[in-house]
Amino acid sequence: ALTGKSLILKDMGKSEESIKLCDLISKIEPDNPMTYQTKGIALEQLGRYEEALECYDKVLEIVPDELITFYNKGNVLVILEKYEEAIKCYDESLDIEPNMLENPQVSKIYVNSLNNKANALAKIEKFQEGLNCCETALEINPKEITILNTKGTLLNYLKKHREALECFNEALEIEPNYQHALKNQELTLGWLED
């Protein structure tokens, strides 16, 4: 019951209260991974990234193959500009049995991990590897606008502006007000005019 309350507090934006409750729960149930996961997310919300990493590491001590924890840890490492480490975390979150993709929650984490890995790869200028991630994600969910946007961005890095524009246009057909794609479409059109 207390773990549920800490989740609700976190979701309500009451991160400090959630952290205090998680600390209390961890004294009663020191091996409850959900407590550390919740605390890690609450710490992220407060910009306390190093402490969030400690929580995620604690979860992984208890449950070594917790996909969402590798995903969350990867996201924090990207914020801290530790791209190589982030990519390793995303790889861990992608290490699943193919039949697990039938679960919509697992599939969503998988696609998001591919997208975030692609973005991390872009930060270290491994654009083609990032594109490969996008292609895999689009095989699973061809209408995922964030993946289409990421793919277009990577194509722009590779100076393939026409292909990039197709990605942004496709994302905008699905979600006409998607701001990232609108901005990237405008930039790409500018490059095509040059």
Side-chain angles (χ1 to χ4, degrees):
L2 288 176
T3 304
K5 185 174 180 181
S6 68
L7 282 167
I8 292 167
L9 288 168
K10 174 198 57 81
D11 290 343
M12 291 173 57
K14 297 183 177 186
S15 300
E16 290 287 356
E17 292 175 50
S18 178
I19 291 167
K20 288 177 185 171
L21 188 54
C22 287
D23 288 340
L24 175 67
I25 296 167
S26 66
K27 289 177 184 165
I28 300 166
E29 300 175 20
D31 291 331
N32 182 339
M34 190 57 149
T35 302
Y36 300 104
Q37 184 82 274
T38 302
K39 182 178 177 183
I41 295 168
L43 287 162
E44 270 189 73
Q45 290 172 339
L46 295 172
R48 293 163 56 185
Y49 302 117
E50 295 292 343
E51 291 172 84
L53 287 176
E54 290 173 18
C55 289
Y56 297 143
D57 286 339
K58 182 66 177 171
V59 173
L60 294 170
E61 284 176 26
I62 301 166
V63 187
D65 59 351
E66 181 62 37
L67 301 179
I68 190 70
T69 304
F70 280 113
Y71 172 75
N72 289 339
K73 184 176 177 181
N75 292 342
V76 170
L77 289 166
V78 165
I79 291 167
L80 296 173
E81 298 181 359
K82 297 178 179 181
Y83 304 115
E84 298 279 355
E85 290 178 58
I87 290 164
K88 288 177 186 171
C89 285
Y90 294 133
D91 284 339
E92 290 290 338
S93 71
L94 296 167
D95 186 21
I96 63 170
E97 297 297 321
N99 65 336
M100 291 178 69
L101 289 174
E102 294 171 12
N103 177 321
Q105 288 179 312
V106 172
S107 180
K108 183 176 172 76
I109 293 167
Y110 193 86
V111 168
N112 288 342
S113 291
L114 285 165
N115 185 63
N116 292 1
K117 180 181 175 182
N119 282 311
L121 286 163
K123 295 288 187 181
I124 57 173
E125 299 185 8
K126 293 186 176 183
F127 306 120
Q128 189 57 54
E129 285 182 54
L131 276 175
N132 295 343
C133 290
C134 292
E135 291 300 334
T136 302
L138 289 169
E139 287 173 18
I140 297 164
N141 186 352
K143 301 288 185 192
E144 178 56 55
I145 59 175
T146 56
I147 299 289
L148 289 165
N149 186 66
T150 299
K151 181 180 176 183
T153 301
L154 289 163
L155 288 165
N156 271 335
Y157 282 123
L158 294 169
K159 308 288 188 226
K160 297 180 178 182
H161 302 305
R162 291 201 189 290
E163 290 177 59
L165 186 60
E166 289 174 23
C167 291
F168 303 131
N169 289 343
E170 189 174 342
L172 292 167
E173 283 176 24
I174 298 164
E175 177 55 56
N177 295 317
Y178 183 43
Q179 292 302 307
H180 294 291
L182 284 167
K183 179 182 138 205
N184 288 328
Q185 179 191 52
E186 184 179 335
L187 286 169
T188 305
L189 287 169
W191 288 321
L192 286 170
E193 288 174 4
D194 291 341

